[in-house]
PDB file of all heavy atoms in Angstrom:
ATOM      1  N   ALA A 408     128.751  44.617  56.661  1.00 90.00           N
ATOM      2  CA  ALA A 408     129.116  46.035  56.640  1.00 90.00           C
ATOM      3  C   ALA A 408     130.283  46.280  55.684  1.00 90.00           C
ATOM      4  O   ALA A 408     130.282  47.254  54.913  1.00 90.00           O
ATOM      5  CB  ALA A 408     129.472  46.500  58.047  1.00 90.00           C
ATOM      6  N   VAL A 409     131.288  45.414  55.720  1.00 92.00           N
ATOM      7  CA  VAL A 409     132.434  45.569  54.815  1.00 92.00           C
ATOM      8  C   VAL A 409     132.007  45.416  53.364  1.00 92.00           C
ATOM      9  O   VAL A 409     132.393  46.206  52.485  1.00 92.00           O
ATOM     10  CB  VAL A 409     133.534  44.544  55.168  1.00 92.00           C
ATOM     11  CG1 VAL A 409     134.617  44.519  54.094  1.00 92.00           C
ATOM     12  CG2 VAL A 409     134.150  44.872  56.516  1.00 92.00           C
ATOM     13  N   LEU A 410     131.188  44.392  53.075  1.00 92.00           N
ATOM     14  CA  LEU A 410     130.751  44.155  51.701  1.00 92.00           C
ATOM     15  C   LEU A 410     129.828  45.266  51.204  1.00 92.00           C
ATOM     16  O   LEU A 410     129.828  45.594  50.014  1.00 92.00           O
ATOM     17  CB  LEU A 410     130.036  42.801  51.606  1.00 92.00           C
ATOM     18  CG  LEU A 410     130.901  41.570  51.890  1.00 92.00           C
ATOM     19  CD1 LEU A 410     130.055  40.309  51.840  1.00 92.00           C
ATOM     20  CD2 LEU A 410     132.058  41.469  50.899  1.00 92.00           C
ATOM     21  N   ALA A 411     129.045  45.848  52.100  1.00 90.00           N
ATOM     22  CA  ALA A 411     128.093  46.878  51.685  1.00 90.00           C
ATOM     23  C   ALA A 411     128.763  48.235  51.494  1.00 90.00           C
ATOM     24  O   ALA A 411     128.480  48.946  50.527  1.00 90.00           O
ATOM     25  CB  ALA A 411     126.967  46.987  52.709  1.00 90.00           C
ATOM     26  N   PHE A 412     129.677  48.605  52.419  1.00 89.00           N
ATOM     27  CA  PHE A 412     130.271  49.948  52.360  1.00 89.00           C
ATOM     28  C   PHE A 412     131.573  49.992  51.564  1.00 89.00           C
ATOM     29  O   PHE A 412     131.920  51.028  51.006  1.00 89.00           O
ATOM     30  CB  PHE A 412     130.486  50.476  53.777  1.00 89.00           C
ATOM     31  CG  PHE A 412     129.206  50.778  54.507  1.00 89.00           C
ATOM     32  CD1 PHE A 412     128.629  49.849  55.358  1.00 89.00           C
ATOM     33  CD2 PHE A 412     128.573  51.996  54.347  1.00 89.00           C
ATOM     34  CE1 PHE A 412     127.453  50.129  56.040  1.00 89.00           C
ATOM     35  CE2 PHE A 412     127.400  52.296  55.020  1.00 89.00           C
ATOM     36  CZ  PHE A 412     126.833  51.361  55.859  1.00 89.00           C
ATOM     37  N   LYS A 413     132.368  48.910  51.608  1.00 87.00           N
ATOM     38  CA  LYS A 413     133.528  48.697  50.725  1.00 87.00           C
ATOM     39  C   LYS A 413     134.740  49.594  50.987  1.00 87.00           C
ATOM     40  O   LYS A 413     135.785  49.383  50.384  1.00 87.00           O
ATOM     41  CB  LYS A 413     133.132  48.836  49.248  1.00 87.00           C
ATOM     42  CG  LYS A 413     132.179  47.777  48.750  1.00 87.00           C
ATOM     43  CD  LYS A 413     131.917  47.929  47.261  1.00 87.00           C
ATOM     44  CE  LYS A 413     131.104  46.767  46.726  1.00 87.00           C
ATOM     45  NZ  LYS A 413     129.776  46.646  47.360  1.00 87.00           N
ATOM     46  N   SER A 414     134.656  50.591  51.841  1.00 86.00           N
ATOM     47  CA  SER A 414     135.821  51.438  52.118  1.00 86.00           C
ATOM     48  C   SER A 414     135.647  52.092  53.479  1.00 86.00           C
ATOM     49  O   SER A 414     134.526  52.212  53.998  1.00 86.00           O
ATOM     50  CB  SER A 414     135.987  52.518  51.040  1.00 86.00           C
ATOM     51  OG  SER A 414     134.967  53.490  51.138  1.00 86.00           O
ATOM     52  N   SER A 415     136.776  52.555  54.045  1.00 84.00           N
ATOM     53  CA  SER A 415     136.708  53.229  55.341  1.00 84.00           C
ATOM     54  C   SER A 415     135.976  54.561  55.218  1.00 84.00           C
ATOM     55  O   SER A 415     135.293  54.998  56.154  1.00 84.00           O
ATOM     56  CB  SER A 415     138.124  53.445  55.888  1.00 84.00           C
ATOM     57  OG  SER A 415     138.886  54.248  55.006  1.00 84.00           O
ATOM     58  N   SER A 416     136.091  55.219  54.055  1.00 82.00           N
ATOM     59  CA  SER A 416     135.393  56.497  53.859  1.00 82.00           C
ATOM     60  C   SER A 416     133.884  56.304  53.897  1.00 82.00           C
ATOM     61  O   SER A 416     133.151  57.100  54.492  1.00 82.00           O
ATOM     62  CB  SER A 416     135.810  57.128  52.529  1.00 82.00           C
ATOM     63  OG  SER A 416     137.179  57.481  52.554  1.00 82.00           O
ATOM     64  N   ALA A 417     133.404  55.238  53.240  1.00 84.00           N
ATOM     65  CA  ALA A 417     131.966  54.964  53.249  1.00 84.00           C
ATOM     66  C   ALA A 417     131.501  54.561  54.643  1.00 84.00           C
ATOM     67  O   ALA A 417     130.428  54.967  55.104  1.00 84.00           O
ATOM     68  CB  ALA A 417     131.637  53.876  52.237  1.00 84.00           C
ATOM     69  N   LEU A 418     132.314  53.770  55.336  1.00 85.00           N
ATOM     70  CA  LEU A 418     131.949  53.359  56.695  1.00 85.00           C
ATOM     71  C   LEU A 418     131.956  54.532  57.661  1.00 85.00           C
ATOM     72  O   LEU A 418     131.240  54.522  58.664  1.00 85.00           O
ATOM     73  CB  LEU A 418     132.916  52.279  57.188  1.00 85.00           C
ATOM     74  CG  LEU A 418     132.619  50.853  56.730  1.00 85.00           C
ATOM     75  CD1 LEU A 418     133.829  49.961  56.946  1.00 85.00           C
ATOM     76  CD2 LEU A 418     131.410  50.288  57.441  1.00 85.00           C
ATOM     77  N   ALA A 419     132.769  55.549  57.376  1.00 81.00           N
ATOM     78  CA  ALA A 419     132.820  56.720  58.248  1.00 81.00           C
ATOM     79  C   ALA A 419     131.455  57.397  58.335  1.00 81.00           C
ATOM     80  O   ALA A 419     131.125  58.023  59.346  1.00 81.00           O
ATOM     81  CB  ALA A 419     133.866  57.710  57.749  1.00 81.00           C
ATOM     82  N   GLY A 420     130.652  57.276  57.259  1.00 76.00           N
ATOM     83  CA  GLY A 420     129.309  57.839  57.299  1.00 76.00           C
ATOM     84  C   GLY A 420     128.419  57.150  58.311  1.00 76.00           C
ATOM     85  O   GLY A 420     127.530  57.756  58.899  1.00 76.00           O
ATOM     86  N   ALA A 421     128.664  55.838  58.514  1.00 79.00           N
ATOM     87  CA  ALA A 421     127.874  55.078  59.483  1.00 79.00           C
ATOM     88  C   ALA A 421     128.422  55.207  60.893  1.00 79.00           C
ATOM     89  O   ALA A 421     127.736  54.893  61.872  1.00 79.00           O
ATOM     90  CB  ALA A 421     127.837  53.603  59.075  1.00 79.00           C
ATOM     91  N   TYR A 422     129.665  55.666  60.987  1.00 78.00           N
ATOM     92  CA  TYR A 422     130.336  55.717  62.281  1.00 78.00           C
ATOM     93  C   TYR A 422     130.063  57.052  62.961  1.00 78.00           C
ATOM     94  O   TYR A 422     130.042  58.085  62.321  1.00 78.00           O
ATOM     95  CB  TYR A 422     131.834  55.561  62.064  1.00 78.00           C
ATOM     96  CG  TYR A 422     132.587  54.882  63.184  1.00 78.00           C
ATOM     97  CD1 TYR A 422     131.949  54.060  64.095  1.00 78.00           C
ATOM     98  CD2 TYR A 422     133.957  55.055  63.320  1.00 78.00           C
ATOM     99  CE1 TYR A 422     132.648  53.423  65.097  1.00 78.00           C
ATOM    100  CE2 TYR A 422     134.674  54.414  64.318  1.00 78.00           C
ATOM    101  CZ  TYR A 422     134.009  53.610  65.211  1.00 78.00           C
ATOM    102  OH  TYR A 422     134.709  52.983  66.202  1.00 78.00           O
ATOM    103  N   GLY A 423     129.856  57.039  64.214  1.00 82.00           N
ATOM    104  CA  GLY A 423     129.768  58.273  64.977  1.00 82.00           C
ATOM    105  C   GLY A 423     128.410  58.555  65.566  1.00 82.00           C
ATOM    106  O   GLY A 423     128.315  59.004  66.712  1.00 82.00           O
ATOM    107  N   ILE A 424     127.340  58.276  64.827  1.00 86.00           N
ATOM    108  CA  ILE A 424     126.016  58.656  65.326  1.00 86.00           C
ATOM    109  C   ILE A 424     125.651  57.857  66.578  1.00 86.00           C
ATOM    110  O   ILE A 424     125.117  58.407  67.547  1.00 86.00           O
ATOM    111  CB  ILE A 424     124.948  58.493  64.214  1.00 86.00           C
ATOM    112  CG1 ILE A 424     123.617  59.111  64.667  1.00 86.00           C
ATOM    113  CG2 ILE A 424     124.778  57.041  63.805  1.00 86.00           C
ATOM    114  CD1 ILE A 424     122.619  59.258  63.536  1.00 86.00           C
ATOM    115  N   ALA A 425     125.964  56.555  66.572  1.00 85.00           N
ATOM    116  CA  ALA A 425     125.684  55.738  67.756  1.00 85.00           C
ATOM    117  C   ALA A 425     126.612  56.108  68.906  1.00 85.00           C
ATOM    118  O   ALA A 425     126.202  56.163  70.069  1.00 85.00           O
ATOM    119  CB  ALA A 425     125.818  54.258  67.409  1.00 85.00           C
ATOM    120  N   VAL A 426     127.883  56.394  68.580  1.00 86.00           N
ATOM    121  CA  VAL A 426     128.868  56.711  69.611  1.00 86.00           C
ATOM    122  C   VAL A 426     128.510  58.010  70.321  1.00 86.00           C
ATOM    123  O   VAL A 426     128.534  58.092  71.558  1.00 86.00           O
ATOM    124  CB  VAL A 426     130.279  56.801  68.985  1.00 86.00           C
ATOM    125  CG1 VAL A 426     131.289  57.272  70.017  1.00 86.00           C
ATOM    126  CG2 VAL A 426     130.688  55.456  68.406  1.00 86.00           C
ATOM    127  N   THR A 427     128.186  59.045  69.551  1.00 91.00           N
ATOM    128  CA  THR A 427     127.887  60.341  70.171  1.00 91.00           C
ATOM    129  C   THR A 427     126.576  60.309  70.952  1.00 91.00           C
ATOM    130  O   THR A 427     126.451  60.970  71.992  1.00 91.00           O
ATOM    131  CB  THR A 427     127.823  61.438  69.095  1.00 91.00           C
ATOM    132  OG1 THR A 427     126.923  61.034  68.043  1.00 91.00           O
ATOM    133  CG2 THR A 427     129.196  61.680  68.490  1.00 91.00           C
ATOM    134  N   LEU A 428     125.604  59.537  70.480  1.00 91.00           N
ATOM    135  CA  LEU A 428     124.356  59.413  71.231  1.00 91.00           C
ATOM    136  C   LEU A 428     124.601  58.685  72.550  1.00 91.00           C
ATOM    137  O   LEU A 428     124.040  59.047  73.593  1.00 91.00           O
ATOM    138  CB  LEU A 428     123.311  58.668  70.396  1.00 91.00           C
ATOM    139  CG  LEU A 428     121.874  58.654  70.940  1.00 91.00           C
ATOM    140  CD1 LEU A 428     121.388  60.061  71.238  1.00 91.00           C
ATOM    141  CD2 LEU A 428     120.941  57.958  69.960  1.00 91.00           C
ATOM    142  N   THR A 429     125.466  57.679  72.511  1.00 90.00           N
ATOM    143  CA  THR A 429     125.841  56.978  73.744  1.00 90.00           C
ATOM    144  C   THR A 429     126.547  57.929  74.705  1.00 90.00           C
ATOM    145  O   THR A 429     126.315  57.893  75.925  1.00 90.00           O
ATOM    146  CB  THR A 429     126.751  55.786  73.428  1.00 90.00           C
ATOM    147  OG1 THR A 429     126.090  54.928  72.505  1.00 90.00           O
ATOM    148  CG2 THR A 429     127.096  55.012  74.686  1.00 90.00           C
ATOM    149  N   MET A 430     127.428  58.779  74.165  1.00 92.00           N
ATOM    150  CA  MET A 430     128.118  59.759  75.007  1.00 92.00           C
ATOM    151  C   MET A 430     127.125  60.687  75.704  1.00 92.00           C
ATOM    152  O   MET A 430     127.265  60.987  76.904  1.00 92.00           O
ATOM    153  CB  MET A 430     129.079  60.596  74.155  1.00 92.00           C
ATOM    154  CG  MET A 430     130.312  59.866  73.675  1.00 92.00           C
ATOM    155  SD  MET A 430     131.335  60.962  72.648  1.00 92.00           S
ATOM    156  CE  MET A 430     132.749  59.901  72.344  1.00 92.00           C
ATOM    157  N   ALA A 431     126.118  61.147  74.972  1.00 94.00           N
ATOM    158  CA  ALA A 431     125.126  62.040  75.560  1.00 94.00           C
ATOM    159  C   ALA A 431     124.322  61.334  76.652  1.00 94.00           C
ATOM    160  O   ALA A 431     124.034  61.922  77.705  1.00 94.00           O
ATOM    161  CB  ALA A 431     124.199  62.568  74.463  1.00 94.00           C
ATOM    162  N   ILE A 432     123.960  60.084  76.409  1.00 94.00           N
ATOM    163  CA  ILE A 432     123.215  59.317  77.413  1.00 94.00           C
ATOM    164  C   ILE A 432     124.058  59.115  78.664  1.00 94.00           C
ATOM    165  O   ILE A 432     123.569  59.243  79.796  1.00 94.00           O
ATOM    166  CB  ILE A 432     122.766  57.971  76.811  1.00 94.00           C
ATOM    167  CG1 ILE A 432     121.689  58.203  75.740  1.00 94.00           C
ATOM    168  CG2 ILE A 432     122.236  57.036  77.904  1.00 94.00           C
ATOM    169  CD1 ILE A 432     121.305  56.961  74.970  1.00 94.00           C
ATOM    170  N   THR A 433     125.347  58.818  78.476  1.00 93.00           N
ATOM    171  CA  THR A 433     126.255  58.652  79.613  1.00 93.00           C
ATOM    172  C   THR A 433     126.314  59.925  80.452  1.00 93.00           C
ATOM    173  O   THR A 433     126.269  59.880  81.688  1.00 93.00           O
ATOM    174  CB  THR A 433     127.661  58.281  79.122  1.00 93.00           C
ATOM    175  OG1 THR A 433     127.615  57.021  78.448  1.00 93.00           O
ATOM    176  CG2 THR A 433     128.643  58.193  80.274  1.00 93.00           C
ATOM    177  N   THR A 434     126.414  61.076  79.778  1.00 94.00           N
ATOM    178  CA  THR A 434     126.466  62.349  80.503  1.00 94.00           C
ATOM    179  C   THR A 434     125.178  62.597  81.276  1.00 94.00           C
ATOM    180  O   THR A 434     125.205  63.043  82.431  1.00 94.00           O
ATOM    181  CB  THR A 434     126.726  63.503  79.527  1.00 94.00           C
ATOM    182  OG1 THR A 434     127.916  63.243  78.773  1.00 94.00           O
ATOM    183  CG2 THR A 434     126.902  64.809  80.273  1.00 94.00           C
ATOM    184  N   ALA A 435     124.033  62.323  80.637  1.00 94.00           N
ATOM    185  CA  ALA A 435     122.746  62.539  81.306  1.00 94.00           C
ATOM    186  C   ALA A 435     122.620  61.666  82.551  1.00 94.00           C
ATOM    187  O   ALA A 435     122.164  62.127  83.608  1.00 94.00           O
ATOM    188  CB  ALA A 435     121.606  62.249  80.334  1.00 94.00           C
ATOM    189  N   LEU A 436     123.016  60.402  82.457  1.00 94.00           N
ATOM    190  CA  LEU A 436     122.947  59.509  83.611  1.00 94.00           C
ATOM    191  C   LEU A 436     123.912  59.956  84.708  1.00 94.00           C
ATOM    192  O   LEU A 436     123.611  59.839  85.907  1.00 94.00           O
ATOM    193  CB  LEU A 436     123.268  58.079  83.176  1.00 94.00           C
ATOM    194  CG  LEU A 436     122.249  57.401  82.252  1.00 94.00           C
ATOM    195  CD1 LEU A 436     122.776  56.054  81.775  1.00 94.00           C
ATOM    196  CD2 LEU A 436     120.910  57.215  82.954  1.00 94.00           C
ATOM    197  N   THR A 437     125.071  60.473  84.294  1.00 93.00           N
ATOM    198  CA  THR A 437     126.058  60.923  85.276  1.00 93.00           C
ATOM    199  C   THR A 437     125.526  62.085  86.107  1.00 93.00           C
ATOM    200  O   THR A 437     125.853  62.212  87.293  1.00 93.00           O
ATOM    201  CB  THR A 437     127.358  61.336  84.564  1.00 93.00           C
ATOM    202  OG1 THR A 437     127.849  60.237  83.795  1.00 93.00           O
ATOM    203  CG2 THR A 437     128.423  61.745  85.569  1.00 93.00           C
ATOM    204  N   PHE A 438     124.690  62.937  85.508  1.00 94.00           N
ATOM    205  CA  PHE A 438     124.105  64.050  86.274  1.00 94.00           C
ATOM    206  C   PHE A 438     123.366  63.528  87.498  1.00 94.00           C
ATOM    207  O   PHE A 438     123.506  64.076  88.603  1.00 94.00           O
ATOM    208  CB  PHE A 438     123.152  64.858  85.394  1.00 94.00           C
ATOM    209  CG  PHE A 438     122.248  65.775  86.189  1.00 94.00           C
ATOM    210  CD1 PHE A 438     122.738  66.956  86.726  1.00 94.00           C
ATOM    211  CD2 PHE A 438     120.919  65.429  86.424  1.00 94.00           C
ATOM    212  CE1 PHE A 438     121.904  67.790  87.473  1.00 94.00           C
ATOM    213  CE2 PHE A 438     120.088  66.253  87.164  1.00 94.00           C
ATOM    214  CZ  PHE A 438     120.585  67.438  87.697  1.00 94.00           C
ATOM    215  N   PHE A 439     122.563  62.478  87.332  1.00 94.00           N
ATOM    216  CA  PHE A 439     121.777  61.956  88.450  1.00 94.00           C
ATOM    217  C   PHE A 439     122.680  61.293  89.487  1.00 94.00           C
ATOM    218  O   PHE A 439     122.360  61.305  90.681  1.00 94.00           O
ATOM    219  CB  PHE A 439     120.721  60.983  87.937  1.00 94.00           C
ATOM    220  CG  PHE A 439     119.648  61.642  87.124  1.00 94.00           C
ATOM    221  CD1 PHE A 439     119.713  61.655  85.739  1.00 94.00           C
ATOM    222  CD2 PHE A 439     118.586  62.286  87.743  1.00 94.00           C
ATOM    223  CE1 PHE A 439     118.737  62.281  84.986  1.00 94.00           C
ATOM    224  CE2 PHE A 439     117.609  62.923  87.004  1.00 94.00           C
ATOM    225  CZ  PHE A 439     117.680  62.927  85.617  1.00 94.00           C
ATOM    226  N   VAL A 440     123.790  60.739  89.034  1.00 92.00           N
ATOM    227  CA  VAL A 440     124.738  60.170  89.992  1.00 92.00           C
ATOM    228  C   VAL A 440     125.390  61.285  90.804  1.00 92.00           C
ATOM    229  O   VAL A 440     125.497  61.203  92.037  1.00 92.00           O
ATOM    230  CB  VAL A 440     125.807  59.333  89.258  1.00 92.00           C
ATOM    231  CG1 VAL A 440     126.872  58.847  90.237  1.00 92.00           C
ATOM    232  CG2 VAL A 440     125.165  58.146  88.555  1.00 92.00           C
ATOM    233  N   VAL A 441     125.821  62.341  90.110  1.00 93.00           N
ATOM    234  CA  VAL A 441     126.478  63.459  90.794  1.00 93.00           C
ATOM    235  C   VAL A 441     125.513  64.156  91.748  1.00 93.00           C
ATOM    236  O   VAL A 441     125.857  64.466  92.894  1.00 93.00           O
ATOM    237  CB  VAL A 441     127.032  64.460  89.760  1.00 93.00           C
ATOM    238  CG1 VAL A 441     127.582  65.710  90.464  1.00 93.00           C
ATOM    239  CG2 VAL A 441     128.125  63.813  88.922  1.00 93.00           C
ATOM    240  N   TYR A 442     124.280  64.375  91.289  1.00 92.00           N
ATOM    241  CA  TYR A 442     123.323  65.152  92.084  1.00 92.00           C
ATOM    242  C   TYR A 442     122.666  64.326  93.184  1.00 92.00           C
ATOM    243  O   TYR A 442     122.564  64.771  94.342  1.00 92.00           O
ATOM    244  CB  TYR A 442     122.260  65.730  91.146  1.00 92.00           C
ATOM    245  CG  TYR A 442     121.193  66.550  91.836  1.00 92.00           C
ATOM    246  CD1 TYR A 442     121.525  67.537  92.762  1.00 92.00           C
ATOM    247  CD2 TYR A 442     119.840  66.346  91.547  1.00 92.00           C
ATOM    248  CE1 TYR A 442     120.539  68.290  93.387  1.00 92.00           C
ATOM    249  CE2 TYR A 442     118.851  67.096  92.165  1.00 92.00           C
ATOM    250  CZ  TYR A 442     119.209  68.058  93.086  1.00 92.00           C
ATOM    251  OH  TYR A 442     118.236  68.798  93.709  1.00 92.00           O
ATOM    252  N   LYS A 443     122.233  63.101  92.846  1.00 91.00           N
ATOM    253  CA  LYS A 443     121.480  62.293  93.802  1.00 91.00           C
ATOM    254  C   LYS A 443     122.360  61.385  94.656  1.00 91.00           C
ATOM    255  O   LYS A 443     122.174  61.300  95.877  1.00 91.00           O
ATOM    256  CB  LYS A 443     120.447  61.444  93.046  1.00 91.00           C
ATOM    257  CG  LYS A 443     119.315  62.237  92.415  1.00 91.00           C
ATOM    258  CD  LYS A 443     118.349  62.780  93.460  1.00 91.00           C
ATOM    259  CE  LYS A 443     117.119  63.394  92.821  1.00 91.00           C
ATOM    260  NZ  LYS A 443     116.148  63.874  93.832  1.00 91.00           N
ATOM    261  N   ALA A 444     123.302  60.686  94.008  1.00 89.00           N
ATOM    262  CA  ALA A 444     124.119  59.722  94.755  1.00 89.00           C
ATOM    263  C   ALA A 444     125.254  60.411  95.505  1.00 89.00           C
ATOM    264  O   ALA A 444     125.537  60.085  96.660  1.00 89.00           O
ATOM    265  CB  ALA A 444     124.673  58.660  93.807  1.00 89.00           C
ATOM    266  N   TRP A 445     125.918  61.370  94.859  1.00 90.00           N
ATOM    267  CA  TRP A 445     127.027  62.071  95.505  1.00 90.00           C
ATOM    268  C   TRP A 445     126.570  63.258  96.339  1.00 90.00           C
ATOM    269  O   TRP A 445     127.381  63.878  97.030  1.00 90.00           O
ATOM    270  CB  TRP A 445     128.029  62.552  94.459  1.00 90.00           C
ATOM    271  CG  TRP A 445     128.676  61.436  93.702  1.00 90.00           C
ATOM    272  CD1 TRP A 445     128.567  60.092  93.939  1.00 90.00           C
ATOM    273  CD2 TRP A 445     129.535  61.573  92.565  1.00 90.00           C
ATOM    274  NE1 TRP A 445     129.298  59.386  93.023  1.00 90.00           N
ATOM    275  CE2 TRP A 445     129.913  60.262  92.171  1.00 90.00           C
ATOM    276  CE3 TRP A 445     130.030  62.652  91.841  1.00 90.00           C
ATOM    277  CZ2 TRP A 445     130.747  60.018  91.085  1.00 90.00           C
ATOM    278  CZ3 TRP A 445     130.868  62.416  90.765  1.00 90.00           C
ATOM    279  CH2 TRP A 445     131.230  61.121  90.395  1.00 90.00           C
TER     280      TRP A 445
END
Side-chain angles (χ1 to χ4, degrees):
V409 170
L410 295 177
F412 291 95
K413 294 184 173 61
S414 70
S415 60
S416 295
L418 278 164
Y422 211 22
I424 189 168
V426 174
T427 52
L428 190 53
T429 304
M430 288 179 176
I432 291 173
T433 297
T434 305
L436 293 173
T437 303
F438 165 76
F439 292 97
V440 175
V441 174
Y442 179 48
K443 292 288 188 178
W445 297 353

